[in-house]
Amino acid sequence: MRAVCEDFEAELVEFNGGNSHVHLLVNFPPKVAVSRLVNSLKGVSSRRLRQEFPDLARHYWRAQRLWSGSYFAGSAGGAPLSTVKQYIEQQHRPL
């Protein structure tokens, strides 16, 4: 995730999540389209996870994808970053 963010001149500030989702706090420049960043994060992470954990490929073979096509992106412009970071840290680590 960090390497993909760096390719977009973005900073991965925090990363955590659960069994079925992840939370990322990313600081990125306004020239970056959120949809392109998210699609790249999903594509690269899906490919790497399926390479590292071959059972995932067998489990998701029907869908031909690891992640859902949807995502949620919100702005944290008004909230202190420490609050958002603390929320993400309290989530369960992805498997």
Side-chain angles (χ1 to χ4, degrees):
M1 297 290 193
R2 192 169 310 283
V4 171
C5 286
E6 288 173 1
D7 288 345
F8 282 83
E9 299 175 15
E11 175 192 10
L12 179 61
V13 178
E14 191 63 45
F15 169 61
N16 220 331
N19 293 339
S20 62
H21 65 280
V22 295
H23 296 264
L24 287 86
L25 177 57
V26 179
N27 184 12
F28 60 95
K31 68 180 181 179
V32 173
V34 175
S35 60
R36 289 194 65 228
L37 176 59
V38 169
N39 285 335
S40 186
L41 287 163
K42 286 182 172 189
V44 171
S45 63
S46 176
R47 188 170 43 257
R48 291 234 175 118
L49 285 167
R50 286 183 283 124
Q51 287 171 346
E52 189 170 340
F53 304 102
D55 287 345
L56 285 175
R58 285 191 284 277
H59 182 71
Y60 293 99
W61 69 271
R62 285 187 182 133
Q64 294 294 314
R65 58 189 171 138
L66 183 61
W67 300 111
S68 161
S70 62
Y71 66 91
F72 170 79
S75 172
L81 285 182
S82 60
T83 302
V84 178
K85 191 174 177 178
Q86 181 182 18
Y87 169 78
I88 294 172
E89 287 172 347
Q90 292 174 351
Q91 303 301 305
H92 298 288
R93 288 264 176 225
L95 297 176

